[in-house]
Amino acid sequence: MANPQMHNLTTLIKRPRADGGGVLGDDRLEAATSRLEDLASIPSGVSSTIATPKADAGSTTSILSSGVTTTKPTPAPPAAPSPVAQAEPQAVLDYDAIINGEMKKYLELSSEIGGPVAEQSKIIERCFTEQRKFLLITTKAKKPSASSTTFMELIHGMQKEMTAVGEIREQTNIGSLYYDHLSAVSEGILALVWVVDPNPEDHIVGMEGASAYYGNRVMKEFRAKDRDAGGNKNKIHIEWVQAFSAVLKILRLYVKQHHPNGLTWNEQGDMDAKDALASITSPDATAGAQPPPPPPPPPPGPPPNLNLDGPAASPPSIVNVFSELNQGSSVTSRLKKVDKSEMTHKNPSLRVSNTVPDVQSRSKSPAPPPVRKPAHMKTKKPPAMQLDGNKWIIENYENDHNIVLPEVEINQSIFIHHCKNVIVQVKGKCNAISIIECTKTSVVAESLVSSIDIIKSNGFAVQVIHKLPTLQVDSCDGGIVYISKESLDVEIFTSKTTGFNVYVPDGDTGDFSEKPVPEQMKHSVRNGALVSEIVTSNF
């Protein structure tokens, strides 16, 4: 059966005006439409009898001659306008373009390679995110003092993430497949330190060169293979090196455009750096809107069922006590037996305290920290010399002066690790030689394509009979290198090294003259910049 209210609405719309001027005007049509919306909101199955609603305070009620009552609700006040996000400075937007462009491609290739390379790339992404936050603060606040705690808080995030990048490399064996990948990124990420360098572009150029050294080793190694050990096409590794190099290059161009003379701060602003940091890291700045309120607590459960009609407990009586004592030997049947581990006469250590400790409730004491054995008590690993792919690995030799490598190939590298008081002879021309954590180790090689790297080795001696393009010495104490006439154009890089001498051929006599490598640096402030000079001696 049709709803009777619908016929009333039809009558409303077609009813003539009282003054004979035709049908009702817009005011009645509006009232009918409002009522139709009310009827349409009633679910099916509900009785067609509609109760006349009561007019709320502040609402307009209209009673029509047809008997239909309509209520016009008062319109709700307009919602408060949402805060308009402040436009980011152009320097920050250009930095976002680096993260969303070159950085994104590097992250995708790292994820395809996987392993420690992918893990390190995630930390690199956090490094750039922390620097973006730092750059945003510089656009809002004045520069704090470099020695203040506020400045330390600003750069703490970048320092933490860059340290984590280096730890990934330190936890990887030097002869592993991805060691050069991790080294290229660990050296290149130091380019982010440009924010505290008065010559930021020159600083990034230096880090590009350090990263390119390991990047070239990756490209040279993987071009000689069809696939790596994980089955990936080596083209990915070459593209990966190019992608990370592009990140450093676009970062240098960004600094050249926005900060050519060093990082700039908003000296005209009135906001303190600490307040700017708090405004960026506050929940309102990161989340935007307030979270919804928590739901109401659940309703209380039913009251406990108390048995109030039961008999009341009788108070203890002295008669009951004597009756239990007169039971004889059965009175001790309910006593707990003492375990031998809790007996003081069997465990003298328990006599120290007045009470026996509860074994079940006592928590375990923390284990003592592991004690490292001295070097002379450590188990010595057997010496080994093996060829792994195109890498010769020589390790754990002691007091052996006759270690000879056969004719090596031009694409092979040599790793000498944990050797003491040994002499290694390399016949033929090889790609590179690395001497790592060795003591009193001497190496004689014929010729090299790339370089010799000496790391954390004391008392070393190296001689190259023919060509040596590059020599790198890092964290060493005491060492000598003999340079041939063919290697007078050699490039030598040293860092944290003492007692290092280079022997250069002296004319045609065949003798060598000793040239000590400077260890002392002089630093001075000139025109607001720190200038470093090498203190040299005339030899």
Side-chain angles (χ1 to χ4, degrees):
M1 183 179 67
N3 195 330
Q5 300 294 337
M6 298 295 294
H7 298 291
N8 294 338
L9 292 174
T10 306
T11 307
L12 266 175
I13 297 174
K14 296 183 178 180
R15 182 178 178 183
R17 294 171 57 101
D19 56 2
V23 296
L24 288 172
D26 294 337
D27 53 344
R28 295 185 181 275
L29 181 60
E30 181 182 357
T33 307
S34 176
R35 185 57 177 167
L36 180 60
E37 293 175 353
D38 295 340
L39 290 173
S41 63
I42 299 176
S44 59
V46 181
S47 173
S48 60
T49 303
I50 307 298
T52 302
K54 296 181 180 180
D56 297 333
S59 63
T60 304
T61 305
S62 175
I63 302 177
L64 305 180
S65 59
S66 60
V68 179
T69 304
T70 61
T71 302
K72 293 183 180 180
T74 303
S82 57
V84 180
Q86 186 177 3
E88 301 288 358
Q90 187 61 38
V92 179
L93 295 177
D94 290 346
Y95 197 86
D96 290 338
I98 299 177
I99 298 177
N100 299 326
E102 286 75 11
M103 173 62 64
K104 185 177 181 180
K105 182 177 180 181
Y106 157 73
L107 295 175
E108 292 175 353
L109 293 174
S110 300
S111 179
E112 291 185 29
I113 296 176
V117 177
E119 182 181 357
Q120 190 184 53
S121 67
K122 297 177 182 178
I123 306 177
I124 295 295
E125 184 180 12
R126 296 199 296 267
C127 287
F128 275 80
T129 302
E130 288 292 336
Q131 185 163 95
R132 183 205 181 273
K133 183 173 71 174
F134 180 80
L135 294 176
L136 183 58
I137 293 175
T138 61
T139 62
K140 298 176 178 291
K142 298 180 179 180
K143 181 180 180 180
S145 174
S147 59
S148 63
T149 57
T150 302
F151 189 79
M152 293 296 110
E153 292 178 3
L154 297 180
I155 64 175
H156 174 71
M158 289 186 291
Q159 288 179 334
K160 178 182 176 182
E161 300 301 338
M162 283 191 285
T163 302
V165 172
E167 291 176 353
I168 294 291
R169 178 176 67 168
E170 294 177 359
Q171 296 171 0
T172 306
N173 295 330
I174 296 178
S176 67
L177 182 65
Y178 298 131
Y179 182 79
D180 290 336
H181 296 69
L182 304 178
S183 299
V185 176
S186 299
E187 297 293 336
I189 195 59
L190 297 179
L192 296 186
V193 188
W194 69 267
V195 294
V196 294
D197 196 294
N199 300 313
E201 186 178 0
D202 295 340
H203 172 78
I204 297 178
V205 170
M207 295 303 103
E208 282 186 278
S211 177
Y213 168 75
Y214 291 99
N216 292 336
R217 295 177 64 168
V218 174
M219 299 176 68
K220 185 183 300 182
E221 178 179 356
F222 283 91
R223 278 199 184 106
K225 301 178 182 179
D226 293 332
R227 291 178 178 271
D228 60 10
N232 300 320
K233 291 183 179 180
N234 294 320
K235 186 179 180 181
I236 294 179
H237 298 267
I238 297 175
E239 293 177 352
W240 178 87
V241 173
Q242 296 171 349
F244 186 73
S245 177
V247 172
L248 299 181
K249 181 179 179 180
I250 195 65
L251 178 64
R252 172 168 53 83
L253 297 177
Y254 166 82
V255 171
K256 183 178 181 180
Q257 178 181 357
H258 294 283
H259 309 279
N261 299 321
L263 183 65
T264 56
W265 295 71
N266 187 6
E267 299 298 339
Q268 304 299 327
D270 54 354
M271 181 179 291
D272 185 70
K274 193 170 184 179
D275 297 336
L277 176 62
S279 65
I280 293 178
T281 57
S282 62
D284 294 340
T286 57
Q290 292 291 339
N305 186 11
L306 300 179
N307 185 11
L308 301 179
D309 299 334
S314 59
S317 174
I318 191 63
V319 178
N320 297 333
V321 175
F322 281 107
S323 62
E324 292 183 358
L325 292 177
N326 293 332
Q327 293 179 5
S329 60
S330 60
V331 72
T332 60
S333 59
R334 290 176 294 175
L335 296 179
K336 178 183 176 182
K337 293 186 178 181
V338 181
D339 188 74
K340 291 183 179 181
S341 61
E342 300 175 351
M343 297 180 180
T344 56
H345 65 284
K346 293 184 177 293
N347 297 278
S349 60
L350 299 178
R351 302 174 190 172
V352 178
S353 60
N354 295 329
T355 59
V356 179
D358 188 357
V359 179
Q360 297 179 353
S361 61
R362 185 174 63 88
S363 59
K364 294 183 179 180
S365 58
V371 180
R372 294 185 177 181
K373 292 183 179 180
H376 65 278
M377 297 182 62
K378 291 183 178 179
T379 303
K380 295 183 179 180
K381 298 181 180 180
M385 181 172 60
Q386 58 182 353
L387 177 61
D388 183 9
N390 60 350
K391 298 179 181 179
W392 279 99
I393 300 177
I394 303 173
E395 57 184 354
N396 304 323
Y397 278 89
E398 288 190 11
N399 303 321
D400 191 343
H401 296 172
N402 194 24
I403 304 175
V404 181
L405 278 178
E407 289 292 335
V408 297
E409 299 180 2
I410 195 172
N411 64 337
Q412 292 179 345
S413 301
I414 301 170
F415 291 88
I416 304 174
H417 187 235
H418 274 160
C419 292
K420 182 178 181 181
N421 193 21
V422 299
I423 298 177
V424 181
Q425 300 180 26
V426 182
K427 295 183 179 181
K429 188 174 184 180
C430 63
N431 182 22
I433 297 177
S434 298
I435 305 173
I436 305 163
E437 295 183 353
C438 295
T439 304
K440 296 182 180 179
T441 298
S442 302
V443 177
V444 180
E446 292 186 3
S447 183
L448 287 95
V449 177
S450 179
S451 65
I452 294 180
D453 298 338
I454 307 173
I455 304 171
K456 296 181 181 180
S457 299
N458 300 329
F460 63 88
V462 174
Q463 181 177 6
V464 179
I465 299 175
H466 297 294
K467 185 64 177 177
L468 174 61
T470 307
L471 175 67
Q472 295 191 11
V473 185
D474 183 13
S475 304
C476 297
D477 183 15
I480 57 177
V481 173
Y482 290 88
I483 303 298
S484 65
K485 293 182 179 180
E486 302 178 21
S487 302
L488 292 178
D489 58 345
V490 63
E491 294 182 348
I492 302 176
F493 300 90
T494 62
S495 62
K496 296 186 290 185
T497 299
T498 58
F500 177 44
N501 298 320
V502 179
Y503 286 82
V504 182
D506 189 6
D508 297 331
T509 60
D511 296 334
F512 289 86
S513 59
E514 181 182 8
K515 305 295 181 181
V517 177
E519 304 173 10
Q520 188 176 8
M521 303 285 291
K522 182 180 73 173
H523 310 280
S524 57
V525 179
R526 299 177 185 175
N527 299 326
L530 183 65
V531 180
S532 300
E533 299 176 352
I534 299 176
V535 179
T536 59
S537 301
N538 296 325
F539 287 94

